[in-house]
C-alpha cells in the first residue's frame, strides 16, 4: 500500500490520516492508531495547542499516529519522550485529575521468527524478490490484525495520577562562540572558557 500526502485532513481521525503522515502501513503505525483513537475517544478534541499532553515511552512508528491524530507534537512541546523502549503511552489533559495510561500487552503480538529473519535480510539488502514479497505480505497481515484485535486483547488501559507536565518554555537564543549558530540558552556548554553549542562542545578535532 503506497500512500501520498495529498488531500490530508488532520481533523479526520481515520487510519489513512496516520498512514499519510507516517508514509506507509506497518504494525507500528497500526499500534499507534489504536492508541491515538483510544485517547481521542476519551479527550474528544485534537490538541490545538498544548492542552493535551502525550508522554510516550519509545521512539517507534506508533508515535507518528499520535502526532497526526491527537495533535501532540514535538514542535508544540506537548509530546514528551521517555526512552524506555516500551509501548506505553500516557495522555494528560490540563485541568484533569487523572491521566489515561495505555500499554501494549506483552502477549498481544507473539514473536514471529520468520518475520524477524526476513526483516533482517531486507534491511541488509540480501532478501530475494520472493522474500521481499513474503515479508510485505506478513507485514501487512500483522498490521491488519492489530487494527482488528479487540481492545482488551491488545492493551491494558487505566487511569493514573501523574505530576502535571510543565508547559513548553521558550528560551533565549545564545550564539555559539565557535560556529556562530544560535541555540537555546540552557543547552549551552563551556569549552576553553567560551560558551559553545553542544555540537562544538562534543567535536573531537578541537
Amino acid at each position: 500500500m503506497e500512500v501520498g500526502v495529498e488531500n490530508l485532513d488532520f481533523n479526520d481521525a481515520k487510519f489513512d490520516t496516520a498512514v499519510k503522515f507516517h508514509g506507509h502501513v506497518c504494525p507500528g503505525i497500526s499500534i499507534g492508531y489504536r492508541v491515538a483513537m483510544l485517547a481521542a475517544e476519551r479527550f474528544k478534541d485534537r490538541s490545538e495547542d498544548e492542552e493535551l499532553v502525550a508522554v510516550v515511552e519509545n521512539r517507534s512508528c506508533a508515535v507518528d499516529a499520535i502526532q497526526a491524530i491527537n495533535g501532540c507534537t514535538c514542535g508544540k512541546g506537548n509530546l514528551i519522550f521517555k526512552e524506555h523502549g516500551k509501548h506505553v503511552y500516557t495522555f494528560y489533559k490540563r485541568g484533569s485529575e487523572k491521566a489515561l495510561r495505555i500499554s501494549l500487552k506483552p502477549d498481544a503480538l507473539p514473536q514471529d521468527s520468520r518475520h524477524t529473519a526476513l526483516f533482517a535480510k531486507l534491511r541488509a539488502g540480501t532478501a530475494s524478490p520472493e522474500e521481499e514479497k513474503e515479508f510485505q505480505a506478513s507485514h501487512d497481515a500483522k498490521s491488519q490484525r492489530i487494527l482488528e484485535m479487540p481492545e482488551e486483547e491488545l492493551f491494558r488501559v487505566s487511569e493514573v495520577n501523574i505530576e502535571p507536565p510543565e508547559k513548553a518554555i521558550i528560551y533565549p537564543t545564545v550564539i555559539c562562540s565557535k560556529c556562530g549558530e544560535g541555540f537555546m540558552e540552557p543547552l549551552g556548554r563551556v569549552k576553553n572558557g567560551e560558551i559553545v553549542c553542544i555540537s562544538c562542545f562534543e567535536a573531537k578535532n578541537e
Side-chain angles (χ1 to χ4, degrees), residues 53-71:
V53 180
V55 181
V56 300
E57 300 189 27
N58 65 77
R59 293 180 181 270
S60 74
C61 303
V63 178
D64 278 357
I66 293 168
Q67 294 191 86
I69 291 174
N70 304 116

Side-chain angles (χ1 to χ4, degrees), residues 10 29-30 36 42 72 86 94 104 117 119 125 141 143 168 182 201 206:
F10 285 111
I29 202 67
S30 293
R42 166 68 180 273
C72 300
K86 302 196 298 183
R94 299 193 185 281
L104 184 69
F119 185 55
S143 302
F201 180 77
E206 298 180 18

Side-chain angles (χ1 to χ4, degrees), residues 49-51 53 76-77 94 164-171:
D49 192 10
E50 52 179 300
E51 60 273 14
V53 180
K76 287 189 295 198
R94 299 193 185 281
E166 292 185 2
K167 289 189 175 181
I169 301 174
I170 299 176
Y171 293 99

Side-chain angles (χ1 to χ4, degrees), residues 137-157:
S138 173
H139 215 52
D140 291 346
K142 191 173 182 179
S143 302
Q144 188 63 37
R145 179 169 175 267
I146 292 167
L147 293 176
E148 296 173 351
M149 287 179 68
E151 175 190 315
E152 62 273 13
E153 293 182 12
L154 193 59
F155 298 121
R156 291 174 180 158
V157 182

Side-chain angles (χ1 to χ4, degrees), residues 72-156:
C72 300
T73 67
C74 295
K76 287 189 295 198
N78 60 337
L79 182 67
I80 299 174
F81 284 99
K82 292 186 177 180
E83 197 67 277
H84 296 167
K86 302 196 298 183
H87 277 295
V88 176
Y89 309 86
T90 304
F91 293 84
Y92 176 82
K93 192 163 188 177
R94 299 193 185 281
S96 300
E97 294 184 358
K98 298 281 188 178
L100 183 69
R101 187 179 191 272
I102 304 167
S103 64
L104 184 69
K105 287 187 173 181
D107 57 350
L109 304 174
Q111 292 293 321
D112 183 339
S113 58
R114 176 61 177 169
H115 185 86
T116 301
L118 287 170
F119 185 55
K121 294 186 74 171
L122 200 68
R123 292 292 296 270
T126 60
S128 68
E130 292 75 18
E131 288 174 326
E132 289 183 14
K133 289 181 181 179
E134 182 185 351
F135 171 80
Q136 193 59 56
S138 173
H139 215 52
D140 291 346
K142 191 173 182 179
S143 302
Q144 188 63 37
R145 179 169 175 267
I146 292 167
L147 293 176
E148 296 173 351
M149 287 179 68
E151 175 190 315
E152 62 273 13
E153 293 182 12
L154 193 59
F155 298 121
R156 291 174 180 158

